[in-house]
Amino acid sequence: PPCADNGTGDICAAAPSGSPRCHAISTYLSIHSVLLKRNSHAAISESLDLPIGRGWKYGSGFVDGVFPVLSPIAQQILEFLLEEGDPSKVWLSLDTLLPSHDIWDDLINVAVQLRINKQWDPIVLLCEWILNKSSFKPDIMCYNLLIDAYGRKSQYRKVESLYLRLLGSQCIPTEDTYALLLRTYCTSGLLDKAEAVFTEMQKSGITPSILHNLLLNLSWVICYLGEKSAVVYNGYIYGLVKTGNIEKALNIFQRMKKNRCRPSTDTYTMLINLYGKASQSAMALKMFNEMKTVKCKPNVCAYTALINAFARDGRCDKAEEVFEELQDAGHEPDVYAYNALMEAYSRAGFPFGSYEIFSLMQHMGCEPDQASYNILVDAYGRVGLHEDAHAVFEELKRQGMMPTMKSHMLLLSAYSKSGNIPKCEEIITQMHKSGLKPDTFVLNSMLNAYGKKGHFAKMEEVLNAMENGPYETDISTYNVLINIYGRAGFFSRMEDLFQSLPSKKLKPDVVTWTSRLGAYSRKKQYRKCLEIFEEMVDAGCHPDGGTAKVLLSACSSEEQIEQVTTVLRTMHKEAKTMFAI
């Protein structure tokens, strides 16, 4: 049996010295040894006439881009797994299945469909039954599905244990297996382990040509491992991006190209998304153009990522250009592409442009989803058309969709901006009745609404509930308060809140500093503004365009304006962006 996790996160701590499983994550079995074991394993299964997993059905042993057609039996199994959550009942029912190749295909197709739907718990139930209770011989695809599910649930110890069991069962890991390991470690914050896996794979020396020679006479194909696998790099980059290690992710991308591994469409799409989310649409476009330069054909996802990048910057003109290019390339826009273009018009302050795209989507036979309605609610709310936002919210419900937390938040934000306190309180009540618990964003919106109306007592009540109740405060919470009190001229309360941030383990961001600066700027307290600006820079917080405007507004003479302009220009020249390539 495979070694168990020792509970510390270190695998195989108790394994005998020299055991190949003792170093399963950092070293690999001999290719010849593995092949011999696999052939032996297949021969035993054939002699006993037991069904064996046919992972070759999906090529690489994994399921990205596969959309299975379910048989009637598979459909019944799928519906049962989605409805029944009791493991004992699930396994008892699965025990009644008669083992056959068709049933095996049905089970794997069900697992693939569950993965498409991101239903990780049913995948665990099904694949654990295959491993522990059934007479089937699980293949690499079954293991990969289960590793993926545990990884998505952030159960890295389960992943490690399962990987050891995979090796012990004489299955051969594919590039997808290692990509899943890397992603699991990265998303769990275990970057040292991820780096160890990645480094050892590069050192393994298993190249496509070597594997081809070894496997030439075999009837089944194993995807190669090693430094030329884009899938592995993608898994590593994905995990780093998810955990916010942006600089490290970009370094891995550079290493990927340096090692002559050609980035795939997925690689570039991740990078475009990365820059887009950081409001770096110019860099996102640079990645997109590089992608086309190296003859990597963009797909719908890549185009949509670029549309989203321009949307975040409010560049609806550029977003529409990319949308047209998507169609010219022969792609059919999906709901995500339409939503991205709607978002572009929304952020640019053109709600009726968003509505036109919404109508076009329906006309073209593409059904709007919940996100489509949410974007439209936000589009109207951003420009103060709260009644139109409310009408879309009601239409969402008439279409049979259940308003989510985000739906309520966007409607609340619309009424908050217009200062309609009774409506805001009514929405909070509706959320409670719907079983939705207000989160930090909702309560921050209420703080802002009360503050703008000068209801400071109610604002403090909400803050007290957040600090002493089950709710969490974040830096945005205090940014709202600092801005409100600063605008109202309550400098003492504003400074108390600012000074309290370290004790709450919160770090002031550029909005915090700029809001504080703004309070003194409105009073033309130039020297005080310069002191705060110096504190801001010393704290490692880089000023943005808003900070510059506030600082300039504190000036009351040409000399002061020239002084501030000189400082800002000097800082701009010396600034280093973390996204430099």
Side-chain angles (χ1 to χ4, degrees):
C3 301
D5 182 11
N6 66 1
T8 67
D10 296 318
I11 53 173
C12 291
S17 176
S19 167
R21 283 175 289 176
C22 181
H23 303 289
I25 300 299
S26 59
T27 58
Y28 304 97
L29 298 173
S30 161
I31 287 290
H32 293 288
S33 174
V34 172
L35 294 180
L36 287 171
K37 290 179 180 178
R38 175 65 186 235
N39 289 337
S40 173
H41 174 61
I44 293 171
S45 298
E46 187 176 320
S47 67
L48 295 177
D49 198 28
L50 294 175
I52 184 169
R54 294 179 288 175
W56 50 264
K57 178 180 177 182
Y58 292 104
S60 70
F62 209 46
V63 294
D64 283 328
V66 174
F67 299 92
V69 177
L70 301 183
S71 70
I73 292 177
Q75 187 64 43
Q76 290 178 24
I77 295 172
L78 175 66
E79 291 171 0
F80 174 70
L81 286 169
L82 290 173
E83 292 172 5
E84 181 59 69
D86 186 339
S88 59
K89 290 182 180 179
V90 169
W91 284 18
L92 194 63
S93 297
L94 291 174
D95 284 341
T96 63
L97 295 173
L98 296 176
S100 69
H101 287 299
D102 288 338
I103 288 296
W104 169 261
D105 286 342
D106 284 337
L107 292 173
I108 293 300
N109 281 336
V110 167
V112 172
Q113 186 61 53
L114 289 168
R115 182 179 183 270
I116 291 171
N117 298 337
K118 300 182 179 180
Q119 298 288 334
W120 312 119
D121 288 332
I123 292 176
V124 169
L125 280 178
L126 177 58
C127 292
E128 285 286 6
W129 175 80
I130 292 174
L131 263 66
N132 297 303
K133 292 278 288 177
S134 75
S135 58
F136 291 105
K137 299 296 181 183
D139 64 1
I140 189 60
M141 174 117 126
C142 181
Y143 280 108
N144 283 350
L145 282 163
L146 191 51
I147 288 172
D148 187 30
Y150 278 131
R152 303 280 186 165
K153 290 159 63 70
S154 299
Q155 297 183 12
Y156 76 89
R157 291 177 181 172
K158 288 274 191 181
V159 169
E160 290 178 332
S161 178
L162 191 61
Y163 177 71
L164 295 179
R165 181 167 179 177
L166 178 159
L167 295 178
S169 68
Q170 302 169 357
C171 267
I172 301 177
T174 65
E175 59 184 9
D176 295 295
T177 312
Y178 291 103
L180 293 170
L181 276 174
L182 284 168
R183 186 174 67 187
T184 298
Y185 282 140
C186 288
T187 54
S188 299
L190 303 171
L191 300 185
D192 289 343
K193 288 194 173 189
E195 185 68 27
V197 173
F198 193 78
T199 301
E200 287 302 323
M201 289 184 67
Q202 289 185 301
K203 291 179 180 178
S204 65
I206 304 174
T207 64
S209 58
I210 294 173
L211 274 179
H212 177 74
N213 293 333
L214 284 169
L215 307 176
L216 191 60
N217 298 317
L218 297 176
S219 60
W220 45 277
V221 179
I222 303 171
C223 288
Y224 69 86
L225 305 176
E227 64 185 21
K228 300 204 179 286
S229 171
V231 174
V232 175
Y233 279 101
N234 289 349
Y236 198 7
I237 292 171
Y238 174 87
L240 291 168
V241 170
K242 278 290 184 181
T243 53
N245 289 278
I246 306 302
E247 192 171 0
K248 178 74 171 176
L250 292 172
N251 287 339
I252 294 299
F253 176 65
Q254 292 304 320
R255 188 196 300 184
M256 180 181 192
K257 293 192 290 185
K258 185 179 178 181
N259 288 340
R260 297 180 182 179
C261 175
R262 182 180 177 182
S264 66
T265 302
D266 289 340
T267 316
Y268 282 109
T269 301
M270 278 193 290
L271 269 293
I272 293 167
N273 270 321
L274 186 157
Y275 286 117
K277 289 177 181 178
S279 298
Q280 298 272 340
S281 58
M283 289 302 300
L285 179 60
K286 182 179 178 181
M287 282 292 101
F288 187 79
N289 289 334
E290 179 183 314
M291 179 183 190
K292 293 191 292 184
T293 301
V294 298
K295 309 299 182 185
C296 186
K297 190 175 180 180
N299 57 15
V300 174
C301 294
Y303 281 105
T304 302
L306 187 58
I307 294 170
N308 270 319
F310 285 122
R312 286 188 175 88
D313 283 349
R315 297 290 306 277
C316 54
D317 54 334
K318 298 295 291 183
E320 183 145 355
E321 283 180 20
V322 178
F323 186 82
E324 290 175 1
E325 188 180 334
L326 179 156
Q327 294 172 298
D328 292 341
H331 297 295
E332 187 72 27
D334 57 14
V335 66
Y336 303 106
Y338 281 112
N339 285 351
L341 189 55
M342 284 179 63
E343 183 73 21
Y345 281 106
S346 171
R347 295 208 179 202
F350 299 119
F352 298 108
S354 294
Y355 179 73
E356 283 184 17
I357 301 302
F358 183 86
S359 300
L360 175 65
M361 173 167 38
Q362 292 176 308
H363 177 73
M364 297 303 293
C366 183
E367 196 67 28
D369 61 6
Q370 186 141 23
S372 311
Y373 286 96
N374 286 347
I375 292 168
L376 208 49
V377 170
D378 187 38
Y380 286 124
R382 281 174 181 266
V383 296
L385 300 174
H386 48 82
E387 292 303 327
D388 293 292
H390 189 267
V392 175
F393 184 85
E394 292 300 322
E395 179 62 25
L396 182 154
K397 292 192 286 187
R398 279 194 293 272
Q399 292 297 322
M401 301 180 192
M402 183 69 69
T404 61
M405 174 68 75
K406 185 167 185 178
S407 307
H408 285 92
M409 286 192 308
L410 293 171
L411 186 61
L412 177 68
S413 180
Y415 281 111
S416 171
K417 286 173 183 174
S418 66
N420 194 331
I421 300 296
K423 263 297 185 185
C424 290
E425 292 174 338
E426 182 184 317
I427 293 169
I428 296 290
T429 303
Q430 286 178 1
M431 291 176 67
H432 281 295
K433 287 181 179 178
S434 302
L436 295 172
K437 180 182 174 183
D439 64 2
T440 302
F441 180 90
V442 171
L443 295 174
N444 286 351
S445 295
M446 290 305 299
L447 282 172
N448 195 42
Y450 285 135
K452 283 184 175 180
K453 284 295 183 179
H455 299 170
F456 300 126
K458 284 197 171 184
M459 190 170 71
E460 289 290 344
E461 283 179 21
V462 174
L463 177 63
N464 186 58
M466 293 178 75
E467 291 184 328
N468 300 308
Y471 310 104
E472 289 186 7
T473 57
D474 59 13
I475 192 60
S476 296
T477 307
Y478 294 95
N479 287 348
V480 169
L481 294 164
I482 288 169
N483 184 49
I484 293 294
Y485 280 122
R487 285 180 177 275
F490 295 113
F491 289 8
S492 177
R493 177 59 176 148
M494 178 189 74
E495 290 293 350
D496 287 344
L497 288 165
F498 183 84
Q499 300 303 330
S500 71
L501 293 178
S503 66
K504 303 178 191 303
K505 297 182 180 178
L506 294 172
K507 184 178 181 181
D509 60 15
V510 67
V511 177
T512 322
W513 287 102
T514 303
S515 297
R516 186 180 173 214
L517 266 172
Y520 295 104
S521 175
R522 279 183 286 274
K523 298 294 184 181
K524 296 294 183 181
Q525 296 188 22
Y526 177 70
R527 293 195 177 281
K528 180 66 175 177
C529 287
L530 284 183
E531 288 176 13
I532 294 173
F533 184 75
E534 189 176 343
E535 286 179 43
M536 176 183 182
V537 175
D538 289 344
C541 184
H542 194 76
D544 61 9
T547 315
K549 288 179 183 179
V550 168
L551 195 56
L552 284 168
S553 68
C555 300
S556 53
S557 70
E558 290 295 328
E559 183 183 353
Q560 290 176 349
I561 292 174
E562 186 178 347
Q563 185 179 2
V564 169
T565 304
T566 302
V567 171
L568 291 173
R569 282 177 179 168
T570 303
M571 289 193 65
H572 180 71
K573 288 179 181 178
E574 294 176 352
K576 293 180 180 179
T577 174
M578 67 183 293
F579 294 110
I581 285 193

